């Protein structure tokens, strides 16, 4: 395979040169590929959609983890739905105040691939004593768990196949069910330029369940065709306005380095370009 082609839409695709195929096969739930690209390093593809690349994974994983975890005053327990590559888990565990991060990944094959090929991404996070890996459907987990979480991060695939249920009203309702008062839900919500309806629908569903439904934006080079939206839902509207000075204090106290996240970028990410603002309403 000389080039990997990601068909984004009926009329759009992107191609990544394949320097070396490291894995190609089925996981039981999805087809999976791991290959090397000279510029992006290792690339993880599931069902022919680019999930993460070593070169730009830091953007998405830092911003999905640190925005809610620094906005929340004192997160103790966090939940990740999906995230089988372990990149988000590794970022969340950098927060010393977190007693436990539960990660519910549907596909054990993805976790096996992550351990075999993406150690530089997850740094062995699955073996961290504060990590609690559960293999199962995230929608079922949030409907049944007795556990409660201060921050819920939905690091899902797109709303097709096994990931589809993670965009449903029932799933969001059950996320709220297992959140502590004042908890924050953040979601992978696609590239608004390509998937506008997905964002509008998630925000509408958030607002039917929470006092606040909003979005923030990031720029991930391999999520092609513009900025990516992350959904934000909480009953405590003040959390989205956490003062810069407080974010700076928490970031300094946490004491870890980043490549994308800064307190200023955190605040600025909620400033939406008009075309995204209109989708969010
Ligand atoms: N960062 C990537 C992105 O933005 O597209 C997604 C990373 S991660 C690889 C997505 C994970 O969601 C996959 O490992 C997939 O198996 C998992 N997933 C899909 N549907 C799921 C479900 N219903 N419950 C739990 N995990 C699910």
């Amino acid at each position: 395979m000389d080039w990997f082609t990601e068909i984004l839409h009926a009329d759009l695709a992107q191609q990544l040169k394949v320097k070396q195929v490291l894995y190609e096969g089925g996981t039981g739930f999805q087809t999976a590929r791991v290959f090397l690209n000279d510029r992006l390093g290792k690339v993880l593809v599931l069902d022919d959609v680019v999930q993460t690349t070593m070169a730009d994974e830091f953007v998405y994983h830092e911003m999905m983890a640190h925005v809610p975890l620094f906005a929340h005053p004192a997160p103790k327990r966090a939940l990740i739905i999906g995230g089988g590559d372990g990149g988000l888990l590794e970022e969340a565990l950098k927060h010393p105040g977190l007693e436990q991060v539960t990660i519910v990944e549907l596909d054990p094959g993805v976790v096996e691939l992550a351990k075999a090929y993406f150690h530089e991404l997850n740094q062995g996070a699955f073996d961290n004593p504060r990590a609690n890996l559960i293999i199962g459907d995230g929608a079922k987990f949030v409907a049944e768990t007795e556990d409660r979480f201060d921050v819920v991060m939905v690091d899902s695939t797109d709303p097709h196949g096994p990931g589809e249920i993670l965009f449903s009203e029932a799933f969001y309702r059950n996320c709220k069910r297992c959140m502590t008062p004042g908890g924050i839900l953040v979601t992978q919500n696609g590239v608004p330029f390509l998937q506008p309806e997905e964002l509008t629908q998630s925000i509408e569903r958030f607002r039917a369940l929470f006092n606040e439904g909003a979005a923030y934006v990031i720029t991930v080079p391999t999520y092609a065709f513009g900025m990516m939206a992350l959904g934000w839902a909480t009953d405590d509207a003040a959390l989205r306005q956490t003062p810069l000075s407080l974010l700076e204090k928490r970031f300094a106290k946490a004491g870890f380095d980043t490549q994308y996240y800064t307190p200023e970028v955190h605040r600025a990410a909620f400033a939406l370009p008009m075309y995204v603002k209109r989708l969010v309403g």
Side-chain angles (χ1 to χ4, degrees):
M1 177 174 73
D2 204 14
W3 287 87
F4 166 71
T5 302
E6 182 182 21
I7 310 284
L8 294 155
H9 271 256
D11 45 7
L12 294 173
Q14 72 166 341
Q15 284 197 315
L16 308 180
K17 182 89 172 166
V18 177
K19 179 177 175 188
Q20 185 190 353
V21 176
L22 300 174
Y23 175 86
E24 224 173 17
T27 64
F29 286 89
Q30 308 166 90
T31 61
R33 296 172 209 265
V34 179
F35 63 83
L36 268 181
N37 169 277
D38 271 339
R39 194 180 300 268
L40 300 171
K42 283 184 194 168
V43 179
L44 172 66
V45 171
L46 292 175
D47 284 348
D48 290 330
V49 176
V50 172
Q51 297 297 307
T52 198
T53 85
M54 280 316 300
D56 67 0
E57 60 77 24
F58 65 90
V59 179
Y60 172 87
H61 292 130
E62 287 183 16
M63 289 299 282
M64 179 168 268
H66 305 322
V67 171
L69 287 170
F70 280 129
H72 191 288
K76 294 275 177 285
R77 302 174 74 77
L79 172 63
I80 296 171
I81 302 295
D85 50 68
L88 184 60
L89 177 63
E90 193 260 338
E91 286 299 334
L93 286 169
K94 287 177 181 172
H95 290 255
L98 275 184
E99 291 161 3
Q100 188 174 67
V101 183
T102 294
I103 173 168
V104 183
E105 164 57 54
L106 177 72
D107 190 340
V110 177
V111 176
E112 291 322 308
L113 287 175
K115 289 179 177 177
Y117 296 104
F118 289 93
H119 188 271
E120 62 273 46
L121 168 65
N122 56 55
Q123 304 286 326
F126 292 110
D127 301 324
N128 185 307
R130 291 184 294 140
N132 170 31
L133 171 64
I134 295 171
I135 295 297
D137 178 12
K140 189 168 178 302
F141 177 82
V142 292
E144 296 171 356
T145 183
E146 294 305 310
D147 210 341
R148 292 297 176 261
F149 304 96
D150 304 309
V151 171
V152 177
M153 297 165 271
V154 185
D155 182 12
S156 70
T157 42
D158 285 333
H160 322 292
E164 187 167 5
I165 195 168
L166 304 182
F167 292 77
S168 68
E169 196 273 339
F171 171 69
Y172 293 143
R173 190 168 353 97
N174 286 322
C175 283
K176 177 159 191 184
R177 184 190 78 84
C178 62
M179 284 162 65
T180 52
I184 302 171
L185 166 68
V186 293
T187 59
Q188 186 277 100
N189 248 108
V191 174
F193 186 74
L194 293 180
Q195 303 148 289
E197 303 81 20
E198 183 186 307
L199 179 59
T200 302
Q201 187 180 77
S202 288
I203 303 295
E204 280 170 357
R205 290 175 175 173
F206 294 163
R207 288 178 180 156
L209 294 161
F210 295 87
N211 291 339
E212 180 172 65
Y216 57 109
V217 287
I218 58 177
T219 307
V220 185
T222 44
Y223 298 160
F225 286 89
M227 51 183 53
M228 171 180 220
L230 298 179
W232 170 276
T234 179
D235 279 339
D236 184 350
L239 295 181
R240 187 163 57 91
Q241 313 290 350
T242 302
L244 179 60
S245 55
L246 197 43
L247 294 175
E248 285 169 337
K249 217 164 95 211
R250 291 173 182 168
F251 183 47
K253 186 163 174 265
F256 55 79
D257 291 332
T258 56
Q259 298 181 74
Y260 191 95
Y261 180 92
T262 71
E264 296 85 352
V265 164
H266 173 141
R267 293 272 306 179
F270 285 95
L272 304 179
M274 190 53 87
Y275 83 97
V276 180
K277 211 175 161 75
R278 286 200 182 101
L279 293 172
V280 168

